[in-house]
Amino acid sequence: MPSVRLRAVPGHGPEDVAVDSAGRVYTGLADGRLIRLPADDTDPVHEGPSRPGASPEVLAETGGRPLGIEIDQEGRLVVCDATHGLLRVDPGTGRLETLVAAGTPVGNAPLRLCNNAAVAGDGSIYFSDSTQRFPLPYWKADLLEHSGTGRLLRLGPDGRCDVVLGGLQFANGVALAADESYVVVAETGAYRLNRVWLTGPHAGQVDRLADNLPAFPDNLARGSDGLIWIAMGSPRNPVLDLLAPRSPALRRAVWALPESLQPKPANTAWVQAVDPDGRVVHDFQATVPGFSMVTGVREHGGTVWLGSLHGDSVAAFDLPIPTDPIG
């Protein structure tokens, strides 16, 4: 990974990141605040430990736990809140609108843990419902139990909400292809990216964009380069790999162990990017003092921004400039 710069946020756990056309960075904090970091030359991101610069703007407070953040065609924020469901926020006024409340029946189950989203050109919102079993603080329990109750949902422009794909092992990141011919959803507990075709000769079919990933995929985002960027939360854990095919009772027993004995995320920052054929184009990993467990990623104009469920900073690095081969 190229040199990483950290930028302090006024709180804990900036889980995801979004960037507007002016280069301003948006994130949500554990206390429910949605903030915007100014794109100001007098307050650059910097190398080394994070430090406060120009004051971030507090745009709104959800009263819950904002996770995935997207920007729609009108500049509004689409927010996946683990407590309250799918929300929309006007960053100018702070007005908050509930699009699909947590607990709302969708298909044969209620929306329980809204996690990440992607906004289509027609206004449709594709978003993940990670699990029917556990709230966000116990996300590791779902990985251990391997419940397979995650779903990919779609909220249409007419307000109708439907299930696009079910039976997922902790449904997480969501991204649309550049031409919106397919939507991708990450299965954190299965180390893969599922692709649901929306148009063309394969419409309605499901295949794998990427499988057997070397880490737990978290949030996804389509970059300005058209690639699908993957936040790699932590390398695969041998204990979890061993437990996956075992008895549910054994997996629950591990979950019942004291926190100090349970599997933990590694101290690393890691992102990948894949092309429409699932080929890895970028693979960046590093140990970054003060920053680890990447849960959000956003490439914008050659800069890659990172969010994390832990810590008090967002991070950024610049993509290497390609060099022409010699000879």
Side-chain angles (χ1 to χ4, degrees), residues 230-263:
I230 313 165
M232 307 289 262
S234 181
R236 289 173 66 154
N237 185 291
V239 173
L240 293 181
D241 279 355
L242 180 66
L243 287 172
R246 308 293 175 179
S247 161
L250 178 60
R251 297 197 297 271
R252 285 193 294 269
V254 173
W255 165 237
L257 290 172
E259 177 70 21
S260 61
L261 299 178
Q262 292 178 19

Side-chain angles (χ1 to χ4, degrees), residues 184-202:
V184 182
V185 58
E187 274 189 279
T188 300
Y191 316 111
R192 64 192 176 206
L193 306 185
N194 295 290
R195 174 169 51 190
V196 182
W197 289 93
L198 304 175
T199 63
H202 304 298

Side-chain angles (χ1 to χ4, degrees), residues 81-168:
D81 189 286
T83 305
H84 296 305
L86 187 67
L87 313 176
R88 185 160 57 202
V89 177
D90 185 328
T93 65
R95 180 178 179 272
L96 190 150
E97 176 186 3
T98 300
L99 300 177
V100 185
T104 299
V106 183
N108 60 358
L111 174 62
R112 182 169 177 84
L113 204 174
C114 187
N115 197 323
N116 199 224
V119 182
D122 68 354
S124 296
I125 301 172
Y126 294 87
F127 62 105
S128 56
D129 183 16
S130 292
T131 171
Q132 288 293 307
R133 294 281 293 127
F134 301 97
L136 181 65
Y138 305 107
W139 58 269
K140 285 194 292 185
D142 195 80
L143 298 184
L144 286 165
E145 188 180 272
H146 225 55
S147 72
T149 58
R151 304 180 297 169
L152 174 65
L153 310 178
R154 175 185 177 269
L155 176 66
D158 60 358
R160 177 185 174 93
C161 196
D162 296 300
V163 178
V164 177
L165 186 64
L168 303 177

Side-chain angles (χ1 to χ4, degrees), residues 5 7 55 61 66 128 151 161-162 167 209 227 282 300-301:
R5 294 121 38 201
R7 189 162 181 178
S55 298
E61 297 187 26
S128 56
R151 304 180 297 169
C161 196
D162 296 300
L209 179 64
L227 301 177
H282 298 299
H300 177 81

